[in-house]
Amino acid sequence: MCTRREGEADLNEGRDVAVNSFVALGDSFTEGLDDWRADGTPRGWADRVAERLGASRPGFRYANLAVRGKLLDQIVDDQLPVAERLRPDMIAFCAGGNDIIRFTCDTDDLARRFDSALERVTATGAQVLVFTGFDLGRMHPIIRRLRGRVACYNELMRASAERHGSTVVDLWGMAPLADPRTWGRDRLHLTAEGHRRVALRVLETLGEPVVEDWRAPLPAAVPAPWRHRQREDLVWMRDFVMPYVRRRMRGHRTGEGFVPKRPDLLPLDGGGQPAL
């Protein structure tokens, strides 16, 4: 079970913010990869949260400015000015994950830039959500090497959130998401089930009623033969790791060619109480 650290639960106590508009900033995690709709577009935790909030709030509006592959500075340059103009009631600000997975990363410098950006986000007057990174302890050894960076950045983000009165959504403590089965084939993006659990975690953090528990354990896994696991690792290296390395060596600009899926604050389509 995930528990909040002392003081985190009360970061927004007394603000009594009526959330009738929501803007999500970030990268592929917030855009919604790998939680695909039938038409091939990403849904993701932010859409799921917006759908649930909008079901009980007539006139609720939602924008998702997140774009896959974006680094912290790109999110600040491209997305933050839009959020400052839109002035929503609530902003989700999740950034830095793509910086963390680069070949080199100075987490202290990254955290300083995050803190400066968070100051601007909170200056909009919105209720602000920030997100810790995931615990990578059960992932492939190549990914697990990043665990120390993530843990360090998490602590620096927590301190920044406390300084600026933002709410921390603790993803590190979500034990079900430490299970590799909640991650897609590239092992960097959550499956639909992973996004569903994050949405439940966010709604719980906001004090919204939920009937499901993100803590519910996954069904017992059927042990896979050693040869099968080795084959999966080789396919992952061939299809995802090596292409990523080649793109980085060629100086490929992350997120190039992609645009936000919901660039404007607009009402949600449909009605009723959507399933998460």
Side-chain angles (χ1 to χ4, degrees):
M1 179 180 295
C2 170
T3 57
R4 288 192 185 91
R5 300 187 177 205
E6 184 178 355
E8 280 187 7
D10 300 323
L11 286 174
N12 280 324
E13 186 175 342
R15 294 186 65 180
D16 193 25
V17 177
V19 178
N20 292 307
S21 55
F22 169 35
V23 170
L25 312 179
D27 51 32
S28 56
F29 167 65
T30 304
E31 185 183 354
L33 277 59
D34 282 336
D35 179 10
W36 304 106
R37 300 181 189 274
D39 63 1
T41 59
R43 187 185 183 195
W45 69 265
D47 283 19
R48 291 168 181 266
V49 168
E51 290 160 8
R52 181 55 61 91
L53 294 176
S56 59
R57 292 167 172 81
F60 180 85
R61 295 175 300 147
Y62 167 56
N64 189 318
L65 309 179
V67 174
R68 66 197 71 180
K70 292 297 185 180
L71 303 170
L72 170 63
D73 291 344
Q74 293 173 315
I75 293 169
V76 171
D77 291 344
D78 300 340
Q79 300 174 29
L80 182 49
V82 181
E84 290 173 324
R85 174 176 57 82
L86 294 175
R87 294 277 172 169
D89 299 323
M90 184 172 75
I91 296 175
F93 179 49
C94 186
N98 286 312
D99 300 78
I100 289 288
I101 67 174
R102 290 167 76 87
F103 296 148
T104 60
C105 176
D106 183 338
T107 52
D108 290 321
D109 178 64
L110 180 63
R112 282 191 291 270
R113 288 183 280 124
F114 178 88
D115 184 79
S116 177
L118 185 58
E119 183 175 17
R120 285 179 57 185
V121 177
T122 55
T124 65
Q127 178 180 2
V128 179
L129 304 177
V130 299
F131 298 74
T132 68
F134 299 97
D135 184 356
L136 306 177
R138 291 177 58 188
M139 301 297 281
H140 187 278
I142 291 177
I143 298 177
R144 199 159 60 234
R145 290 172 62 90
L146 301 172
R147 193 181 188 218
R149 286 187 191 177
V150 175
C152 179
Y153 188 48
N154 283 352
E155 292 307 300
L156 295 169
M157 281 195 298
R158 289 181 191 276
S160 182
E162 184 173 358
R163 280 193 297 274
H164 298 294
S166 303
T167 298
V168 176
V169 180
D170 183 9
L171 303 180
W172 180 279
M174 293 185 67
L177 299 188
D179 191 314
R181 290 177 293 165
T182 60
W183 295 83
R185 290 182 60 243
D186 65 2
R187 305 182 185 182
L188 287 177
H189 299 110
L190 292 174
T191 62
E193 176 61 16
H195 279 283
R196 187 184 72 85
R197 288 175 185 259
V198 171
L200 288 169
R201 181 73 170 106
V202 172
L203 290 166
E204 180 183 270
T205 301
L206 293 173
E208 294 290 322
V210 291
V211 297
E212 298 175 277
D213 190 351
W214 59 264
R215 302 168 186 82
L218 274 67
V222 177
W226 178 83
R227 288 184 180 276
H228 177 76
R229 297 197 305 271
Q230 292 297 106
R231 189 181 308 113
E232 284 191 334
D233 287 346
L234 290 172
V235 170
W236 174 64
M237 290 289 294
R238 182 197 66 198
D239 293 350
F240 298 104
V241 177
M242 295 312 299
Y244 173 80
V245 171
R246 286 194 292 269
R247 289 195 299 271
R248 295 294 307 128
M249 296 295 290
R250 294 169 183 165
H252 176 76
R253 183 177 172 85
T254 58
E256 188 172 24
F258 294 97
V259 297
K261 63 181 183 180
R262 289 185 63 93
D264 298 310
L265 266 178
L266 296 172
L268 293 165
D269 296 330
Q273 187 77 349
L276 284 176

